[in-house]
Amino acid sequence: TLFSNKKKKRKKICYIFFIVVNEFCERFSYYGMRAVLVLYFRYFLLWDDDLATSIYHAFVALCYLTPILGAIIADSWLGKFKTIIYLSIVYAIGQVTMAISTIHDITDANRDGTPDNFTFHIALSMLGLILIALGTGGIKPCVAAFGGDQFQEHQSRQLNTFFSVFYLCINAGSLLSTLITPLKSVASTLMVFIAGSGMYVKTDPEGNIMWSVCKCIGFAIKNRFRHRSSSYPKREHWMDWANEKYDKLLIAQIKMVLKVLFLYIPLPMFWTLFDQKGSRWTLQATTMSGDFVSILISTVNPILILTLVPIMDRLIFPLIQKCGLNFSPLKRMTVGMLFAAMAFVSAALVQIEIDKTLPNFPSSSESQLKVVNTYSTTLNVTISPNEHLLIESFGSSADYVTFDHQDITVSLNTNPVITKAFSLIKGGRQTLIIPSDPTVMYLKEDVKSKPREGKNAIRFVNGYTADLNITNLDSIEPSATTNYTLVNQGKRDFVLRHGEQWCEFSRKFGFGASYTFLIPSTVFSDDCESITEVEDMKPNSVHMALQIPQYFLITTGEVMFSVTGLQFSYSQAPKNMKSVLQAGWLCTNAVGNIIVLIVAELGKLPKQWAEYLLFASLLVAVSIIFSIMAYFYTYIDPAEIEAQVRKEQGLEPEEMEKETLEMEEKDEDQKNEQGVKQTKI
Ligand SMILES: CC(C)C[C@H](N)C(=O)N1CCC[C@H]1C(=O)O
């Protein structure tokens, strides 16, 4: 018996392996594609930031809504195994369609490097995304539930370990996807899953269960409404109004599912905060210094998951249990939400630090102006009515001057005096460039927010007497100013050239600054030494390492909330509705994403730190509501309830036999464990 049990255990580990590797490959493909999606929208389809992020969030939301469809197909029709296979094929077709949509040569008849028919590429990529959403969303609830199905009812500890390993695989997949291309993984997902085909425990679909559920709920509501007069005796639960027509077992199962779904109502708020990690926190990082922006953003969460899940599972939770505390799943989820709220408080504190170092940008009714002098002598600049600036040659005003009106008149103390009227941009920042011929002074628009991704915005004013060529920039005429170019942090070299003459200009950059470089007429005679620099915007000074606590807190929250949520959804679902509850759980994520899309985008607060605190407070409020709901929730053993109802209805021999067998097996397991212990002693 000992030998056959060991063999059984080894076999189980083997087919659980196939299932978790399948999830690993699927997440690898999904996150690999998602990582480059916004870039594809921005730089291939040439969409603006707002449209790109909206479509991105809509796609993510769709991926977490389609599980409902997958669950219906699996539980009512195909069964989980076939659903996973068929929807993986849909997924693969989606990835291929998406890949084809990125080949610009298809519509680039004139071979200029840009597609000629954007509509075609947009249509193809949208079709690809819809197929991927159907595939990924469809198989996700089935894989989780299918994995759970491989365990018997008494193996709750192993079941919890399975969901932890399952979550580890999700994150290992997403981590690796940043290194290897996603397409290869789609094929391997399918192959790995089919390879284990013969070994799985496959539960059969039980007819059109979702349709029966809907009809049963509809009947209960209608029947309750028909008997609303007080002369009819009350029933324990409103679903009991379906007793007249529907099977007691189905009613009991619906009650279990509804109880859990009701509990899920406040949960999307967690995901609303979690999903802002990829948007708001990424933007926050661009206003900070430190050279690990992209690595930090894409890998810190999965890396922390890979470390925290085992620590929690093997150390923290057992320790809490040893202290005699009952850290039940719903308590864990509440604490998880509080951790996420703390992460946002931490983000708010970091934001306050950043705000202290940010320039004072103009409000929508103000205009800001700086003056740059490339004239041969110091100038006295008067800006009507009462702004007087003394600016030396190849220098600039100390900082921007803020105006609450747009029309200004500038006078220079040249001989004769030069006076010129300008209209400033409302809500904008500009520089008044005074060239070697001051009569042609002009306004140039400046950056009015931190350059993206921690880059630096630089430009040159040509004070040389002829056209100049500068590396990677168009040629500039005398007295003209180039547009801004974005350069990365670190040492950058620029070669300035006019005919045979040239010199090299080197400069070390930090993060998120903006500079105007003034080129004098002597540039070639002193080997670029005389180029002066005007700092339009200071480099970022708050280090990105300060974001680590918020990532740590949100990931700790995720482990408590998300891994436990997966386990809870499986353990509290009746046998024939496991995928449906998994889908319900995933839908909380979809709703969270939709809230980000609507509330977070529309209702921006003027101060970012205040917005972070608002979200933190909302989540604390929601977690209090959730803890009250959880207090009234009684954990159930769905199998036990189902058996009880069956018993009340008269025994079903086949089911009872199965249960007896399981009990016997459980007894045997226990005996064997004792046996092993005794042998060891
Ligand atoms: C955002 C990370 C790469 C992945 C994240 N830690 C995670 O595992 N998930 C976020 C939503 C649920 C879960 C997933 O299934 O991908």
Side-chain angles (χ1 to χ4, degrees):
T1 316
L2 197 67
F3 181 70
S4 84
N5 268 331
K6 266 191 183 160
K7 217 170 136 190
K8 254 195 240 165
K9 234 179 219 170
R10 228 175 284 143
K11 229 170 142 188
K12 180 154 287 176
I13 292 173
C14 182
Y15 51 70
I16 294 295
F17 169 82
F18 283 108
I19 294 170
V20 292
V21 170
N22 172 267
E23 180 67 7
F24 167 88
C25 296
E26 188 278 321
R27 289 287 92 181
F28 175 88
S29 168
Y30 172 76
Y31 281 114
M33 191 274 299
R34 225 178 82 160
V36 289
L37 195 57
V38 173
L39 295 178
Y40 168 72
F41 290 155
R42 285 284 291 113
Y43 303 110
F44 188 93
L45 297 182
L46 304 178
W47 288 351
D48 63 24
D49 270 347
D50 285 344
L51 182 63
T53 25
S54 299
I55 300 292
Y56 169 82
H57 279 296
F59 165 70
V60 176
L62 191 65
C63 288
Y64 287 99
L65 276 177
T66 45
I68 303 177
L69 213 71
I72 294 176
I73 297 173
D75 283 350
S76 321
W77 178 29
L78 290 178
K80 296 179 194 93
F81 182 77
K82 279 191 188 154
T83 308
I84 296 171
I85 301 281
Y86 294 154
L87 286 179
S88 294
I89 295 170
V90 172
Y91 191 157
I93 296 172
Q95 286 280 25
V96 172
T97 313
M98 198 61 200
I100 295 172
S101 81
T102 64
I103 307 171
H104 56 69
D105 280 2
I106 299 177
T107 64
D108 185 13
N110 55 5
R111 295 284 177 263
D112 65 350
T114 44
D116 299 339
N117 186 349
F118 273 100
T119 320
F120 171 81
H121 289 274
I122 292 172
L124 210 59
S125 58
M126 291 305 112
L127 175 70
L129 288 180
I130 290 171
L131 291 177
I132 292 171
L134 277 175
T136 183
I139 64 178
K140 210 166 156 46
C142 301
V143 178
F146 192 59
D149 287 350
Q150 309 307 311
F151 298 88
Q152 284 163 11
E153 264 128 40
H154 63 277
Q155 294 180 307
S156 61
R157 203 169 48 84
Q158 287 94 327
L159 188 70
N160 284 353
T161 309
F162 162 74
F163 279 112
S164 297
V165 174
F166 184 77
Y167 215 77
L168 284 179
C169 286
I170 290 176
N171 286 275
S174 87
L175 187 62
L176 264 189
S177 66
T178 48
L179 307 172
I180 319 163
T181 50
L183 252 184
K184 290 174 197 158
S185 69
V186 181
S188 48
T189 305
L190 260 176
M191 279 173 342
V192 168
F193 190 66
I194 296 170
S197 172
M199 306 179 183
Y200 302 129
V201 174
K202 296 175 197 163
T203 50
D204 288 333
E206 300 195 8
N208 203 343
I209 183 79
M210 280 319 286
W211 182 229
S212 312
V213 169
C214 295
K215 278 199 303 193
C216 183
I217 294 176
F219 180 79
I221 296 171
K222 249 195 318 195
N223 204 25
R224 172 75 191 90
F225 200 68
R226 252 190 252 136
H227 301 92
R228 60 185 177 281
S229 133
S230 55
S231 55
Y232 294 104
K234 279 203 167 128
R235 297 189 186 182
E236 208 182 308
H237 192 283
W238 63 269
M239 270 308 300
D240 293 332
W241 287 97
N243 274 344
E244 279 89 333
K245 195 169 165 192
Y246 286 89
D247 182 26
K248 279 221 166 56
L249 183 64
L250 180 68
I251 296 173
Q253 288 168 331
I254 294 176
K255 279 186 199 169
M256 294 184 235
V257 169
L258 289 182
K259 241 172 86 178
V260 179
L261 287 182
F262 176 69
L263 209 56
Y264 284 172
I265 293 173
L267 301 189
M269 198 63 208
F270 173 88
W271 296 115
T272 302
L273 270 75
F274 184 85
D275 289 329
Q276 288 187 53
K277 189 171 57 58
S279 47
R280 292 278 192 276
W281 289 11
T282 312
L283 281 180
Q284 187 182 57
T286 66
T287 58
M288 303 176 87
S289 67
D291 53 2
F292 47 96
V293 184
S294 51
I295 303 167
L296 176 90
I297 287 159
S298 52
T299 60
V300 73
N301 173 267
I303 289 176
L304 279 173
I305 289 279
L306 292 181
T307 17
L308 285 175
V309 169
I311 293 177
M312 292 281 187
D313 250 21
R314 300 283 148 200
L315 204 75
I316 311 287
F317 294 150
L319 216 68
I320 294 175
Q321 209 177 2
K322 269 207 174 123
C323 295
L325 295 170
N326 171 22
F327 204 29
S328 64
L330 294 178
K331 279 187 195 155
R332 277 186 211 179
M333 288 167 76
T334 314
V335 175
M337 285 198 241
L338 293 176
F339 266 94
M342 284 195 287
F344 266 62
V345 173
S346 170
L349 294 177
V350 171
Q351 191 62 47
I352 291 170
E353 279 310 300
I354 294 171
D355 285 355
K356 286 182 196 160
T357 65
L358 282 182
N360 178 25
F361 291 118
S363 69
S364 55
S365 62
E366 291 173 335
S367 308
Q368 290 184 333
L369 184 73
K370 186 174 214 170
V371 183
V372 159
N373 177 15
T374 61
Y375 185 53
S376 50
T377 60
T378 300
L379 284 174
N380 223 322
V381 182
T382 306
I383 307 171
S384 67
N386 48 14
E387 207 63 57
H388 302 283
L389 307 166
L390 187 70
I391 306 169
E392 48 184 62
S393 176
F394 282 82
S396 74
S397 53
D399 202 353
Y400 284 89
V401 181
T402 304
F403 298 91
D404 52 14
H405 54 272
Q406 277 66 60
D407 295 326
I408 54 163
T409 310
V410 178
S411 306
L412 309 180
N413 68 329
T414 42
N415 190 9
V417 169
I418 301 167
T419 303
K420 212 167 169 181
F422 292 98
S423 183
L424 300 175
I425 299 172
K426 223 176 178 180
R429 279 187 144 191
Q430 284 163 287
T431 294
L432 176 71
I433 311 277
I434 305 174
S436 50
D437 172 8
T439 55
V440 292
M441 61 183 159
Y442 58 93
L443 287 177
K444 190 84 187 166
E445 202 173 337
D446 299 357
V447 277
K448 57 171 185 169
S449 60
K450 282 278 177 186
R452 63 185 161 83
E453 292 161 22
K455 291 190 174 168
N456 300 278
I458 63 159
R459 62 185 178 183
F460 292 85
V461 181
N462 185 6
Y464 188 64
T465 43
D467 284 7
L468 281 178
N469 279 308
I470 306 177
T471 341
N472 295 332
L473 293 167
D474 289 338
S475 123
I476 16 171
E477 291 171 6
S479 299
T481 305
T482 62
N483 289 326
Y484 281 111
T485 302
L486 291 179
V487 294
N488 284 327
Q489 166 267 352
K491 188 169 168 280
R492 305 279 152 225
D493 303 320
F494 304 90
V495 176
L496 277 68
R497 204 180 285 280
H498 171 71
E500 293 295 295
Q501 302 183 84
W502 67 274
C503 65
E504 195 176 49
F505 167 64
S506 293
R507 172 74 167 77
K508 212 172 163 206
F509 294 98
F511 295 88
S514 162
Y515 301 97
T516 302
F517 293 109
L518 312 180
I519 306 167
S521 52
T522 54
V523 63
F524 293 120
S525 51
D526 57 23
D527 205 15
C528 279
E529 287 292 314
S530 53
I531 294 178
T532 49
E533 154 192 314
V534 175
E535 191 180 72
D536 299 331
M537 203 182 291
K538 281 189 172 21
N540 304 339
S541 56
V542 178
H543 200 274
M544 221 176 262
L546 280 189
Q547 274 197 329
I548 291 175
Q550 68 204 56
Y551 274 101
F552 179 78
L553 286 167
I554 200 129
T555 313
T556 309
E558 184 192 350
V559 174
M560 295 201 179
F561 180 85
S562 191
V563 182
T564 316
L566 271 178
Q567 296 164 354
F568 178 79
S569 308
Y570 185 85
S571 70
Q572 297 298 291
K575 206 162 158 222
N576 54 350
M577 295 187 207
K578 297 274 185 203
S579 314
V580 172
L581 258 195
Q582 286 295 326
W585 166 253
L586 292 168
C587 275
T588 62
N589 199 329
V591 179
N593 246 284
I594 294 168
I595 299 177
V596 177
L597 203 63
I598 300 167
V599 184
E601 292 306 321
L602 294 182
K604 276 185 192 141
L605 289 183
K607 288 280 172 212
Q608 187 57 58
W609 62 263
E611 197 178 296
Y612 287 144
L613 283 189
L614 175 73
F615 276 112
S617 328
L618 283 175
L619 191 57
V620 171
V622 163
S623 59
I624 294 171
I625 296 171
F626 180 71
S627 65
I628 297 170
M629 291 164 80
Y631 179 78
F632 291 103
Y633 182 85
T634 23
Y635 292 90
I636 51 156
D637 180 350
E640 211 176 283
I641 296 180
E642 282 166 343
Q644 207 179 325
V645 177
R646 270 197 209 105
K647 210 170 166 186
E648 280 165 20
Q649 289 178 317
L651 292 177
E652 276 176 34
E654 197 192 297
E655 286 298 312
M656 288 303 289
E657 234 169 62
K658 226 165 121 191
E659 271 163 35
T660 323
L661 268 176
E662 274 172 16
M663 290 300 287
E664 278 170 11
E665 216 172 284
K666 191 176 165 182
D667 282 350
E668 233 167 61
D669 274 356
Q670 278 167 357
K671 272 183 214 157
N672 283 331
E673 263 175 39
Q674 278 166 5
V676 172
K677 269 183 207 157
Q678 277 163 12
T679 327
K680 271 186 189 162
I681 291 162

